[in-house]
Amino acid sequence: MATHRQDREIHSLDEFDAALTSHGSLSPYRIQSVDLTDRTFALLSTSTTDAVFLGCPMQPEAAAKVRADGALVFPPVPHLPFDPYRSRLYSPEELFEGVTTHPYAETPDARSYDWFQRTKGNGDIFSSMLRSLHDDAISDALDEHLADARVVGVMGGHQMGRGTDAYAGAARLGRSLTRSGLTVATGGGPGAMEAANLGAYTAPFLDAVLDEALELLAKAPSFTPSVTEWARAAFEVRARWPRGGDSVGIPTWFYGHEPPNAFAARIGKYFANATREDGLLARSNAGVVFLPGAAGTVQEIFDSATPNFYGSRGEPTPMVLVDRAHWTERLPAWPLLRTLAEGRPMAARIALVDSIDEAPEALARPAVA
């Protein structure tokens, strides 16, 4: 029986049991980070030939049997602060676990960064393999989560402080884009990224909720000097208005001194920044808005421009740069982008606007035939 790739993946005990009921065999399946210690009888009595088990705890007799069947078994790795085989994106609660009562340094996010710092330069092939396995699992989870979604990227600098007009504007942008039916995706960090995710989070509520949230957050304007206080302010907002709107953050432990923000409903955090950057922009199929930023945002502009220039991802997607003075005088990326676009289909899909409030209209502007 032919199966689609996602149909072959098992991510929970419920899916495991359903596969046994419907298929009678685990042979075509990839079982990903599911605790099977209570499914010994099922494993002993079911064919697992050609199955793949990724980080699934199981009893010794079950593990011996599935290996004897010819299944491929990647065992759990002990003493890691992260799961390299994880089947889903992170939640803010997972990465920041314990931060409301303990310092940020004790959270899974901080401990994963510490592990990365210890291992990234030691030349250990096992550590680099674990990072690659983890990042590939995150990419797979992002593809599944964003399947059929219209995704708009919002890029911008991490230094944009809470309590500023710029931060409030970026939050309004995220809210507006979410209310229009788009899924906001950001680099997942502080500053402009957090603001856009915050706007998406408050989109289901009355407009006044965003204003109140901005006031609460302003008491901890930056993640420096204290990530702990910065994160606690965010979770205070989440506790006051639970079950906010959906958006995605895609940060990296490569910039681990910048914590992820707590307003993205789902977080795809990577070890490899290059994989993270390319994946974030490639998934922004409804276009990208570039708020004022520095080196990272400039890099993202031209990482986005390159496939638009060559048409390597099909029709070019919109690129909207916000703040004329910033992108023509302080960091004049716009003149180069406009010159690159001359005579190409992407020329009709790039725009420079003065204010954040103009960005949604510029993003939705139809391509010129």
Side-chain angles (χ1 to χ4, degrees):
M1 180 179 70
T3 56
H4 297 294
R5 178 181 64 84
Q6 291 184 20
D7 295 335
R8 297 170 62 191
E9 294 181 6
I10 293 175
H11 297 159
S12 68
L13 282 176
D14 287 343
E15 291 178 3
F16 179 89
D17 294 339
L20 286 182
T21 299
S22 63
H23 193 69
S25 167
L26 294 173
S27 294
Y29 289 99
R30 283 80 175 95
I31 303 92
Q32 190 174 355
S33 196
V34 180
D35 188 342
L36 299 175
T37 52
D38 290 334
R39 293 297 187 272
T40 299
F41 178 78
L43 292 168
L44 292 177
S45 58
T46 303
S47 173
T48 58
T49 304
D50 297 326
V52 178
F53 294 84
L54 298 165
C56 298
M58 60 184 82
Q59 298 292 350
E61 61 268 35
K65 186 266 182 185
V66 300
R67 286 190 174 96
D69 275 355
L72 187 60
V73 179
F74 291 75
V77 182
H79 312 305
L80 282 179
F82 62 94
D83 178 4
Y85 311 108
R86 62 180 301 114
S87 61
R88 64 193 188 284
L89 299 175
Y90 292 100
S91 68
E93 293 86 354
E94 184 178 4
L95 286 176
F96 284 103
E97 183 182 3
V99 78
T100 57
T101 55
H102 294 82
Y104 166 74
E106 298 179 17
T107 65
D109 184 63
R111 289 188 288 112
S112 295
Y113 176 56
D114 288 343
W115 178 89
F116 180 45
Q117 289 293 95
R118 292 195 308 271
T119 63
K120 67 180 182 180
N122 65 6
D124 181 6
I125 191 172
F126 183 56
S127 296
S128 63
M129 182 188 73
L130 291 173
R131 294 194 295 270
S132 296
L133 285 170
H134 171 274
D135 286 1
D136 189 67
I138 291 296
S139 291
D140 184 63
L142 272 171
D143 287 340
E144 293 169 2
H145 181 71
L146 295 175
D148 303 321
R150 294 181 63 232
V151 181
V152 57
V154 179
M155 311 298 156
H158 68 270
Q159 294 183 341
M160 184 183 289
R162 295 169 173 175
T164 64
D165 290 342
Y167 185 97
R172 290 195 304 272
L173 173 66
R175 183 177 65 183
S176 174
L177 295 172
T178 301
R179 287 177 174 176
S180 72
L182 296 168
T183 297
V184 169
T186 77
M193 298 169 280
E194 181 188 55
N197 288 129
L198 169 66
Y201 185 87
T202 61
F205 307 122
L206 296 174
D207 286 358
V209 168
L210 177 56
D211 296 332
E212 293 180 54
L214 291 169
E215 289 184 16
L216 287 173
L217 291 172
K219 67 184 182 182
S222 174
F223 64 95
T224 59
S226 173
V227 175
T228 303
E229 296 306 315
W230 176 84
R232 286 176 179 173
F235 280 99
E236 182 181 345
V237 169
R238 289 177 59 93
R240 184 165 177 179
W241 296 284
R243 297 180 297 279
D246 188 36
S247 69
V248 174
I250 307 180
T252 173
W253 280 295
F254 183 81
Y255 297 132
H257 60 285
E258 297 178 16
N261 78 72
F263 293 110
R266 297 290 182 270
I267 300 173
K269 192 156 190 178
Y270 285 87
F271 289 105
N273 185 50
T275 306
R276 166 253 191 175
E277 288 275 11
D278 185 67
L280 171 56
L281 294 167
R283 291 177 175 88
S284 298
N285 53 22
V288 185
V289 178
F290 298 93
L291 303 177
T297 311
V298 171
Q299 176 184 343
E300 288 160 347
I301 289 173
F302 293 102
D303 281 347
S304 183
T306 300
N308 278 351
F309 181 88
Y310 288 111
S312 55
R313 294 179 184 146
E315 292 296 315
T317 53
M319 299 175 62
V320 179
L321 279 61
V322 177
D323 191 329
R324 188 177 303 273
H326 185 84
W327 295 120
T328 62
E329 298 172 16
R330 287 188 287 276
L331 291 175
W334 172 255
L336 178 54
L337 179 64
R338 184 179 57 193
T339 301
L340 279 173
E342 285 179 2
R344 292 184 174 269
M346 69 177 286
R349 307 317 309 272
I350 64 173
L352 175 66
V353 298
D354 290 309
S355 71
I356 280 178
D357 294 335
E358 299 174 78
E361 181 181 353
L363 191 71
R365 193 174 299 150
V368 178

